[in-house]
Amino acid sequence: QVQLVESGGGLVQAGGSLRLSCAASGRTISTYDMGWFRQAPGKEREFVAAVRWSGGNGYYADSVEGRFTISRDNAKNTVYLQMNSLKPEDTAVYYCAANIASRWALVREDYEYDYWGQGTQVTVSS
């Protein structure tokens, strides 16, 4: 069993930056692909970014490409999401998730993920 705890959310003005962290415990996540999703009020949960178990370049939703960067430190069992040039439409609860099967072609699909954190609120004011 893997426990995921997100942190780093908060209130920021448009154009600002935040760095989210997702700390894992209970088991190493070094062999899992990891993803970030978000859910805004009244909307469905949507894919934001993912990174392969081995690291390297991430994969992003079009809406955040060029502004967000996903990274991981397997030694610390932690995944990060650096968010720059934030917009009011980025306001949401952000969740990290662990994907055991690591089927990269389905990385955008939330049903592929086995473990989820409780989420951290990000609010961007205009």
Side-chain angles (χ1 to χ4, degrees):
Q1 193 78 351
V2 174
Q3 292 79 43
L4 302 173
V5 178
E6 302 94 337
S7 61
L11 174 64
V12 63
Q13 289 188 334
S17 299
L18 284 174
R19 188 194 195 202
L20 304 184
S21 298
C22 172
S25 62
R27 184 177 295 182
T28 178
I29 59 171
S30 63
T31 60
Y32 301 163
D33 294 345
M34 297 295 294
W36 285 95
F37 290 76
R38 66 187 182 187
Q39 187 167 21
K43 295 187 177 181
E44 294 188 352
R45 185 166 57 191
E46 65 174 357
F47 170 78
V48 175
V51 62
R52 295 229 65 171
W53 63 271
S54 53
N57 293 332
Y59 175 64
Y60 301 92
D62 289 345
S63 59
V64 307
E65 180 82 53
R67 300 188 297 122
F68 290 11
T69 303
I70 188 171
S71 61
R72 66 190 300 159
D73 185 338
N74 285 339
K76 294 183 178 180
N77 228 25
T78 300
V79 179
Y80 305 97
L81 185 68
Q82 177 67 43
M83 305 186 296
N84 298 329
S85 302
L86 282 161
K87 304 176 181 180
E89 51 263 44
D90 295 318
T91 295
V93 177
Y94 283 70
Y95 301 90
C96 74
N99 180 342
I100 298 175
S102 295
R103 294 184 290 194
W104 191 245
L106 298 175
V107 71
R108 302 175 62 98
E109 306 299 337
D110 58 3
Y111 59 76
E112 281 291 295
Y113 292 80
D114 305 277
Y115 301 107
W116 292 82
Q118 83 291 347
T120 186
Q121 176 71 46
V122 172
T123 304
V124 185
S125 63
S126 57

